[in-house]
Amino acid sequence: MSFGDPNPNNPYGQQPGQPPQGQPPQGQPGYGYPQQAPQGIPPQGQPGYGYPQQQPGIPPQGQPGYGYPQQAPGTLQANSGFINIPTLGTVEIASMGRRLGARCLDGLIIGVLYSIFSAIGLAGALGLAESTDDCGSSLDPGYQDCVNDASMSFVATMFGMLAILVLITLLYDWLMISLMGATLGKKALGVKVVKENTGLNPGLGAGFIRWIIPIVGAFLCYIGAILTYLSPFFDNSGKLQGWHDRAAGTLVVKIK
């Protein structure tokens, strides 16, 4: 009786159909050998060939990150009252209540200045009117010329006073908005006027356009100016832009 394998071609002595020692049978996992996923699916914990690797917490390039909405500059955020403006980031659009309060404060300041200069101009006009008493009697040869000169001086004084009042408004509103973005009333109420496309102060050109439109409207019994100041209520863009702001390319935002 032979103790060797009757099959001389089987040197390892395994049963037929079994793989050599150290190799797992086909269709069964081998002990100590990592398992390979089906073709086309990378193994767990290993990078797959052809698949871009992404660091945790960093969105892929060209795709928005989850939970971080990307907003283009000047984009209103879903009628929430906030808007993205270059150099300023996300800011809140100033409410009509703040704007009205700021305009009332500015009106009070300008009213005080008007009163001071009006008193000075009126005193000068009254002095000119009384100077007609020095012209003598109406029968005097130079009486009419004297009265005419006094009247012309009175008219010139009144027009000069009006020009000063317009100049005060121009310097106060136009220059302060153009160079600083806010008048004293707007500063007190935390309101500022900025360029919509840059977030900077309006500048002299845009500031003048924004200032002159209500002034022109004021010549129509002030109805045009009132409509201009109320025009943000008619703005359906959600930015509360008045006609003068649209023409100048400006927005009124809250700064505190």
Side-chain angles (χ1 to χ4, degrees), residues 35-44:
Q35 303 305 306
Q36 179 67 33
Q39 187 175 6
I41 301 178
Q44 295 183 1

Side-chain angles (χ1 to χ4, degrees), residues 23 53 61 74 93 127 141 174 181 190 204 229 240 246:
Q23 297 185 7
Q53 303 304 306
Q61 294 183 1
I93 297 174
W174 172 44
L204 295 177
Y229 293 135
L240 293 179
R246 285 192 177 188

Side-chain angles (χ1 to χ4, degrees), residues 174-221:
W174 172 44
L175 288 185
M176 292 193 72
I177 291 292
S178 299
L179 302 180
M180 295 186 292
T183 57
L184 297 179
K186 286 180 171 58
K187 284 181 176 292
L189 271 295
V191 174
K192 186 176 182 180
V193 180
V194 298
K195 289 288 289 182
E196 182 179 6
N197 58 349
T198 63
L200 304 177
N201 294 332
L204 295 177
F208 182 78
I209 293 174
R210 190 179 187 276
W211 172 82
I212 196 63
I213 291 178
I215 295 299
V216 172
F219 286 103
L220 301 174
C221 299

Side-chain angles (χ1 to χ4, degrees), residues 4-5 17 23-24 34 40 56 72 83 93 100 120 158 160 185 196 206 243:
D5 191 339
Q23 297 185 7
I83 189 170
I93 297 174
L100 178 61
I120 296 174
M158 296 303 296
E196 182 179 6
W243 298 335

Side-chain angles (χ1 to χ4, degrees), residues 204-254:
L204 295 177
F208 182 78
I209 293 174
R210 190 179 187 276
W211 172 82
I212 196 63
I213 291 178
I215 295 299
V216 172
F219 286 103
L220 301 174
C221 299
Y222 214 77
I223 296 176
I226 294 176
L227 289 177
T228 300
Y229 293 135
L230 294 179
S231 59
F233 286 113
F234 314 140
D235 182 20
N236 57 6
S237 69
K239 300 177 183 179
L240 293 179
Q241 265 185 319
W243 298 335
H244 53 323
D245 282 313
R246 285 192 177 188
T250 56
L251 280 176
V252 185
V253 298
K254 178 182 175 183

